Amino acid sequence: MPRESAAEPTEPTVSAVRPASALPPGRPAEQLLAELRDLRAADAPTRGGRTFAYVYDAGLPDLDELTEAAYGVFATVNGLDPTVFPSVARLENDVVGAVSAILGVPGAQGSFTSGGTESILLAVKAARGHARSARGVTRPQLVLPSTAHAAFHKAAHYLGLEPVVVPVDPLTFRADAPAVANAITERTALVVASAPSYAHGVLDPVAEIAAAAEARGVLCHVDACIGGWFLPFLARVGLPIEPFGLSVPGVTSISVDLHKYGYAHKGASVVLYRDAELRRHQYFAYAGWPGYPVVNPTVQGTKSGGLLAQAWAVLHHLGHDGYTALARRVALAADQLLPGLRSLDGIRVLGDPAGSLIAFTVHSSAGTPDLGLVLHLADEMRERGWYLQPQLSCDGLPPNLHLTLTPATSDRVEPLLADLAEALTAARACEPVIVDPALVELGATLDPDTLTPEDVAGFLAFAGLDGAGGLPTRTAPVLALLDALPPRLKERMLTEFVGSLFRI
Ligand SMILES: *Cc1c(COP(=O)(O)O)cnc(C)c1O
């Protein structure tokens, strides 16, 4: 092998096809670190409270030092085998125990995972295994309010379950508990409620949904990925928060991301089950090969001990008091932002946000949600240095902008509102976004599975997404086009687009 690869560089095709991936003879560390820092310049800022999605900034500069140092201590440890690295089991039990102390019940057991998606995949896998062994379900279904996170659809896709989607209440954006109850069948492996939902930040009626599931002998997962480490601390500040943890009758598992309001670095989440017997279905064990006997509690095999160590450190450093103070700061930001938003002409906050996530739409002069205005507003805000997350329309739910509030955003509400008012005026003055009706018509006839690479390339070029000239600075025309496409075509186009970003 070494011989062959040594000969390869002389072949002109190798260097011509893959110039960027050729490994250099070696470069000094300083230079590489400088390059990494330079690369960050074009990114959205992750600290400072101007990026209202993807990042969770506690606004405490010392925290990054702690997480980085804690990661460093455990960076070389392999979490694959807690018998060789017992420290991993100790740290994981501490972290899962801390989550269980707030959201669990006596006897609850869980795992530390790489994120919300993995926690959800595992909860669905456990439910599938449980439904098969306890109830003989061989063609399992997953009952999901339409606002359940896309990760459940991913889990259904990976694990072979059929998603059964139940529309939410179009005014409150909360799951419709009676409709969810009606969707439960003999084949249902798991019913889901969100605390709160990502899209609109509203709390589903967890107790009602869990009771309906329990009455049918079906498991119920509460997706508290984003609210699980925030709402309990809001409750400590004295705000009325409906219970949503495992102590609610019928709730059998829950996911809680520590890399969101736990303020750990990314790669930190917990999935918790009411007992070890349920968690058993999450594990994978294999002793039928000649290598070491495998027991993988989670998706990964080899895994860094560093992510666990940094999550453990931040959790214990902030503690109850730290998290309570941070939750209070977020709540204050929301208290200031919500009336400010509502006072802006044409802005409508969606539903009754449970605390830290706010979605709002923008109305046209006719008084209806206007996709073009929503998207122009996002672009105008981006030009003013703020990232607000556009969410497209979906089954009658309006397009909107989504804000994740963090402690770091709490000092920024006034400038944010001032810029929003200005950006709104600018958005209204923009050319209306008009999607070519011929293109929409064409989209309705295209079969996403049989499109040729040329069809796709043509479509992307038309949308300005072919990479020529880099990413578009104004996203409104592109997103408006996407919004008008049927979901599966939208998925195909987005897949091609993202694939085009990762091209070597
Ligand atoms: C973030 C989130 C997820 C997915 O988690 P990742 O950490 O992004 O994988 C799932 N559900 C909700 C409610 C979330 O907010």
Side-chain angles (χ1 to χ4, degrees):
M1 243 167 40
R3 244 166 230 265
E4 273 168 31
S5 55
E8 263 172 30
T10 59
E11 298 226 7
T13 48
V14 173
S15 57
V17 175
R18 299 185 166 180
S21 57
L23 206 56
R27 289 169 56 193
E30 293 290 283
Q31 215 184 74
L32 295 167
L33 291 172
E35 187 172 331
L36 288 175
R37 287 187 198 104
D38 286 350
L39 276 174
R40 290 283 310 278
D43 289 347
T46 58
R47 294 291 179 254
R50 297 184 77 94
T51 304
F52 283 87
Y54 306 115
V55 298
Y56 297 80
D57 181 1
L60 305 170
D62 296 352
L63 216 54
D64 285 337
E65 257 167 60
L66 172 66
T67 42
E68 281 154 32
Y71 182 94
V73 178
F74 269 68
T76 56
V77 167
N78 192 340
L80 175 62
D81 192 339
T83 66
V84 177
F85 302 101
S87 59
V88 167
R90 160 67 204 282
L91 292 186
E92 179 158 333
N93 289 339
D94 276 0
V95 169
V96 174
V99 173
S100 186
I102 291 185
L103 292 165
V105 284
Q109 299 296 342
S111 295
F112 179 79
T113 76
S114 64
T117 299
E118 189 181 1
S119 289
I120 287 167
L121 277 176
L122 293 171
V124 172
K125 178 185 179 301
R128 184 187 68 172
H130 178 269
R132 179 182 280 266
S133 80
R135 294 167 40 225
V137 175
T138 52
R139 290 165 53 234
Q141 291 176 325
L142 183 57
V143 173
L144 301 172
S146 58
T147 50
H149 196 279
F152 289 97
H153 294 269
K154 181 174 180 177
H157 175 72
Y158 278 18
L159 298 166
L161 287 86
E162 179 194 338
V164 176
V165 177
V166 182
V168 296
D169 181 308
L171 288 179
T172 63
F173 302 91
R174 301 176 85 206
D176 176 345
V180 168
N182 278 337
I184 299 174
T185 71
E186 296 300 306
R187 290 171 55 200
T188 308
L190 187 67
V191 175
V192 171
S194 303
S197 64
Y198 180 81
H200 310 107
V202 301
L203 204 59
D204 282 341
V206 171
E208 276 175 79
I209 290 174
E214 190 176 36
R216 300 287 296 270
V218 172
L219 303 180
C220 173
H221 181 83
V222 171
D223 179 6
C225 278
I226 202 151
W229 217 238
F230 172 70
L231 295 175
F233 296 102
L234 260 197
R236 280 172 65 103
V237 181
L239 281 131
I241 303 290
E242 285 172 37
F244 58 87
L246 287 170
S247 62
V248 175
V251 175
T252 51
S253 59
I254 186 166
S255 45
V256 180
D257 288 352
L258 297 177
H259 62 202
K260 290 178 179 163
Y261 289 99
Y263 306 107
H265 279 319
K266 287 173 196 5
S269 176
V270 165
V271 58
L272 195 66
Y273 300 90
R274 70 173 170 208
D275 56 34
E277 175 51 22
L278 186 50
R279 184 184 64 172
R280 175 172 72 82
H281 296 287
Q282 173 196 294
Y283 280 35
F284 174 79
Y286 192 69
W289 73 310
Y292 59 93
V294 166
V295 183
N296 289 160
T298 61
V299 173
Q300 292 171 300
T302 286
K303 57 183 173 187
S304 167
L307 291 170
L308 174 61
Q310 58 92 23
W312 177 89
V314 68
L315 212 58
H316 289 84
H317 179 61
L318 291 174
H320 272 109
D321 294 350
Y323 283 114
T324 306
L326 291 171
R328 186 182 283 124
R329 287 191 68 189
V330 173
L332 286 175
D335 284 350
Q336 208 185 339
L337 183 59
L338 281 169
L341 278 175
R342 289 185 175 122
S343 73
L344 290 172
D345 190 32
I347 283 193
R348 175 164 65 97
V349 174
L350 303 181
D352 180 19
S356 60
L357 307 180
I358 291 170
F360 66 87
T361 191
V362 188
H363 285 183
S364 67
S365 47
T368 49
D370 186 312
L371 174 71
L373 281 178
V374 166
L375 299 176
H376 277 319
L377 182 59
D379 283 339
E380 289 295 330
M381 287 302 280
R382 209 159 173 176
E383 276 171 18
R384 289 166 177 78
W386 307 91
Y387 180 79
L388 277 55
Q389 193 172 42
Q391 301 187 130
L392 300 181
S393 58
C394 181
D395 285 334
L397 304 183
N400 59 79
L401 292 181
H402 180 276
L403 282 86
T404 301
L405 300 180
T406 63
T409 59
S410 65
D411 297 336
R412 298 228 174 243
V413 176
E414 259 178 51
L416 174 73
L417 283 168
D419 276 352
L420 265 173
E422 208 187 276
L424 197 56
T425 306
R428 290 194 195 282
C430 287
E431 283 282 305
V433 181
I434 295 167
V435 179
D436 185 347
L439 209 68
V440 177
E441 215 167 292
L442 174 67
T445 63
L446 292 177
D447 175 358
D449 295 328
T450 57
L451 289 181
T452 64
E454 291 73 33
D455 294 335
V456 174
F459 219 101
L460 289 179
F462 184 88
L465 282 179
D466 56 351
L471 290 172
T473 48
R474 298 288 295 200
T475 57
V478 178
L479 292 176
L481 173 60
L482 274 180
D483 194 78
L485 299 181
R488 287 195 43 249
L489 187 60
K490 204 183 299 188
E491 288 159 7
R492 175 78 200 271
M493 292 302 163
L494 285 170
T495 300
E496 297 294 338
F497 166 60
V498 173
S500 76
L501 297 181
F502 292 102
R503 194 167 290 159
I504 51 176

